Amino acid sequence: MSSGSAIRGSRIGSSPMRPDERSEPAPRRQVTYYCAAGHDSIIWFAAEAANPDTWDCPRCGQPAGLDPSAPPGRARTEPYKSHLAYVKERRSEEDAAAILAEALAKLRQRRGE
């Protein structure tokens, strides 16, 4: 007996219905993108959709552009930053010392020291 969550009328591995059976596919157009590694990728878009200037290459992951003679350069990878690094960008050493002193004063006051 099957569970109640199964979709009726479908089976595992079934293919989608053919476009000519009950509907007509939306009009599409192909756009070719070129990356710096020499890959060219054909991406399909809806006919009325605007194509982006860059697209990630499906083969190498680098940015790809519309101009085959001048593809965009490699993406610069940002190094991992810890939470402390972000805090140090926003606060100076003097601010950090003042905040720490204030927090310690509140803690000592609660403890009755």
Side-chain angles (χ1 to χ4, degrees), residues 41-105:
S41 308
I42 298 173
I43 310 296
W44 288 89
F45 291 101
E48 67 273 358
N51 54 313
D53 293 333
T54 60
W55 191 266
D56 290 341
C57 177
R59 292 183 62 193
C60 64
Q62 293 299 318
L66 298 169
D67 186 9
S69 61
R74 291 193 159 272
R76 195 173 138 234
T77 56
E78 295 291 327
Y80 173 77
K81 283 188 183 179
S82 66
H83 176 69
L84 181 60
Y86 284 108
V87 171
K88 286 183 176 182
E89 284 180 358
R90 294 190 316 265
R91 307 244 187 237
S92 66
E93 291 290 330
E94 295 81 25
D95 290 341
I99 292 171
L100 179 62
E102 181 183 335
L104 288 174

Side-chain angles (χ1 to χ4, degrees), residues 1 14 20-23 34 36-37 49 65 71-72 75 90 105 107 109:
M1 180 169 231
S14 65
D20 58 344
E21 283 185 6
R22 295 192 181 134
S23 64
Y34 306 92
R90 294 190 316 265
L107 181 64
Q109 183 181 10

